């Protein structure tokens, strides 16, 4: 009995020794990796990223590859801004443990940041296979499609993300952006209205402003763009949009103020200076426009839109030799560029190639500048109806187009249509009331009309125009003899009374 008991105790001892050895070996092989990951996660939460990186890199030296080590090393690199390394580590983690519910999603977002959108799309597809109905997965998937300009499929993914979680405001916002791209304006407006009420911020209020602008609701667009700047005074797109909106309303001072404020906040980009230059072109301020466009070109010399507008500016300033290389560069890649066609139209008009000029300007006869030059071309061809039609179109599309008002009025005066010329001049002076050219012309047509029908009130009003010019600069008044004649008429009339 004693021998049997001793034998049993010995066997139990052997078994215990084997188990102790097994446990010890297991701890040696698995515990360090697990411990490193746990420690690194804590350091990441404390934002001690370099320390976390050091801990995880030590874990890489262990013989057993641990997917979690690579995964959290990817997280560290992502937070440090080293996206290439983040992608590499997330991919390794996914290769080791492809059934991880989170890794494909993380890899997908990192690939979007890296600009590898097709790979990101596949990564989110894998994530959905492992864990279906995840709102973040569908949001990322939609983003990958959006970046590839696949707007309709992207919208479908964002819609799924919202169906899973109606409080996924990012997906709601991006879905609205896609709907704007797809011209589904009413659906987009519903979503943006919801966001404006539930979680307003600079992004969704700006997008709401952009939508309102597309729907030609300018006052609402201005309101939401200003609201966007209240949330974030450094929201550059809002300054640009406001500048454009005020320009469309022909409010030059307010438009310039928006661009100037953005520049003062050091928010300048090539796109910013391009849009500023285009707005200045709209106001016929080609000298300042050229300066802005040159700044844009310094930042992005290969941008064809900048190059085309620089060419146009040079043409309007009669700098034809300088304009040539700009226009040729654009024509090589975009032979139908409308800005270049406008510039070439002006050159052909100036060279008296009227038929070619008309052909070029008619490529966009909704543009006020093209309408103006078409009127000038048809003056050359003595086509009175088309001259008037195109001048009317020019000043209708741009009520501040002073050059068009002046030339239209000159045309009417040459045809002895003094009443109509006076109406145009008065309209132009509402925009630029101290313009000496307009004032001299208005004095002349008023003088002609008052001579035809002499009424004391009309004579006095005409003399007032002369006095206004003399007050600004007496040397610039062109009709002193006619003024004296009117003063004599007034004097003689008062004596007869």
């Amino acid at each position: 009995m004693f021998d049997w008991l001793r034998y049993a105790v010995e066997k139990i001892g052997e078994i215990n020794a084997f188990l102790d050895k097994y446990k010890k070996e297991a701890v040696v092989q698995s515990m360090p990796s697990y411990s490193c990951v746990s420690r690194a996660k804590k350091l990441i939460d404390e934002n001690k990223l370099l320390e976390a990186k050091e801990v995880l890199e030590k874990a890489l030296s262990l013989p057993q590859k641990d997917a979690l080590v690579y995964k959290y090393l990817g997280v560290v690199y992502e937070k440090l801004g080293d996206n290439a390394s983040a992608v590499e580590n997330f991919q390794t983690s996914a290769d080791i443990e492809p059934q991880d519910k989170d890794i494909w999603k993380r890899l997908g977002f990192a690939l979007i940041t890296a600009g590898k959108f097709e790979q990101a799309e596949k990564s989110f597809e894998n994530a959905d296979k492992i864990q279906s109905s995840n709102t973040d997965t569908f949001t990322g998937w939609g983003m990958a499609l959006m970046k590839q300009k696949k707007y309709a499929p992207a919208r479908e993914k964002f819609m799924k993300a919202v169906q899973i979680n109606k409080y996924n405001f990012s997906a709601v916002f991006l879905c609205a952006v896609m709907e704007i791209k797809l011209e589904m304006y009413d659906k987009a407006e519903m979503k943006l209205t919801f966001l404006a009420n539930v979680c307003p911020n600079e992004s969704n209020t700006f997008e709401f402003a952009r939508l309102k602008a597309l729907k030609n609701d300018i006052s609402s667009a201005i309101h939401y763009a200003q609201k966007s700047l209240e949330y974030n005074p450094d929201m550059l797109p809002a300054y640009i949009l406001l500048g454009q909106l005020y320009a469309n309303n022909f409010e030059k001072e307010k438009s310039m103020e928006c661009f100037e404020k953005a520049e003062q906040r050091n928010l300048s980009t090539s796109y910013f200076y391009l849009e500023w230059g285009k707005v200045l072109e709209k106001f016929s301020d080609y000298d300042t426009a050229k300066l802005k466009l040159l700044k844009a070109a310094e930042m992005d010399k290969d941008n064809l839109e900048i190059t085309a507008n620089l060419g146009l500016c040079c043409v309007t300033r009669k700098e034809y030799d300088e304009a040539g290389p700009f226009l040729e560069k654009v024509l090589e890649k975009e032979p139908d560029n409308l800005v270049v066609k406008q510039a070439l139209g002006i050159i052909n008009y100036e060279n008296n190639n009227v038929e070619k000029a008309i052909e070029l300007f008619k490529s966009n006869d909704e543009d006020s500048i093209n309408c103006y030059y078409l009127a000038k071309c048809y003056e050359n061809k003595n086509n009175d109806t088309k001259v008037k039609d195109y001048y009317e179109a020019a000043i209708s599309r741009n009520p501040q187009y002073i050059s068009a008002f002046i030339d239209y009025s000159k045309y009417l005066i040459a045809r002895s249509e003094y009443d109509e010329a006076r109406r145009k001049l008065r309209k132009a002076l509402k925009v630029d009331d101290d313009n000496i050219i307009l004032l001299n012309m208005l004095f002349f047509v008023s003088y002609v009309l008052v001579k035809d029908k002499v009424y004391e009130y009309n004579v006095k009003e005409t003399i007032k125009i002369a006095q206004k010019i003399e007050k600004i600069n007496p040397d610039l008044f062109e009709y002193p003899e006619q003024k004296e004649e009117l003063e004599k008429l007034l004097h003689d009339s008062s004596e007869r009374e």
Side-chain angles (χ1 to χ4, degrees), residues 76 84 149 259 321 370 429:
V76 169
K149 301 189 186 314
F259 287 106
D321 290 341
N370 283 2
L429 282 162

Side-chain angles (χ1 to χ4, degrees), residues 399-418:
Q400 295 195 359
Y401 203 160
I402 299 300
S403 298
F405 275 110
I406 290 170
D407 285 352
Y408 192 9
S409 300
K410 285 180 180 177
Y411 176 77
L412 293 167
I413 291 167
R415 295 177 61 82
S416 301
E417 297 180 32
Y418 299 114

Side-chain angles (χ1 to χ4, degrees), residues 379-490:
E379 270 192 71
N380 187 284
K381 293 169 70 70
N382 296 313
N383 188 328
D384 179 61
T385 301
K386 287 191 174 181
V387 171
K388 289 177 179 176
D389 285 347
Y390 280 114
Y391 271 132
E392 290 290 346
I395 62 177
S396 172
R397 290 179 173 86
N398 184 355
Q400 295 195 359
Y401 203 160
I402 299 300
S403 298
F405 275 110
I406 290 170
D407 285 352
Y408 192 9
S409 300
K410 285 180 180 177
Y411 176 77
L412 293 167
I413 291 167
R415 295 177 61 82
S416 301
E417 297 180 32
Y418 299 114
D419 277 321
E420 188 58 29
R422 183 167 61 178
R423 279 192 284 272
K424 301 304 177 193
L425 291 164
R426 283 175 173 170
K427 192 172 181 180
L429 282 162
K430 289 178 181 178
V431 176
D432 188 359
D433 62 349
D434 286 337
N435 187 297
I436 296 295
I437 297 172
L438 292 172
L439 287 167
N440 270 304
M441 290 173 71
L442 182 61
F443 174 83
F444 176 75
V445 296
S446 300
Y447 162 78
V448 172
L449 290 166
V450 85
K451 285 269 292 179
D452 186 44
K453 292 182 181 179
V454 180
Y455 296 107
E456 184 179 343
Y457 174 80
N458 292 338
V459 173
K460 286 181 178 178
E461 289 301 306
T462 305
I463 291 170
K464 281 182 182 178
I465 299 167
Q467 290 170 340
K468 181 172 182 177
I469 299 169
E470 289 171 334
K471 187 175 180 182
I472 296 169
N473 188 337
D475 295 335
L476 297 178
F477 181 50
E478 297 175 3
Y479 303 100
E481 291 178 8
Q482 287 82 351
K483 180 194 172 191
E484 286 179 15
E485 186 181 343
L486 292 180
E487 287 173 335
K488 187 174 184 303
L489 273 174
L490 193 63

Side-chain angles (χ1 to χ4, degrees), residues 270-271 274 296-297 300-308 329-330:
S270 62
Y271 176 71
L274 167 62
D300 188 358
K301 65 180 180 180
D302 296 323
N303 186 301
L304 292 180
E305 189 176 5
I306 295 170
T307 307
K329 181 179 178 180
V330 179

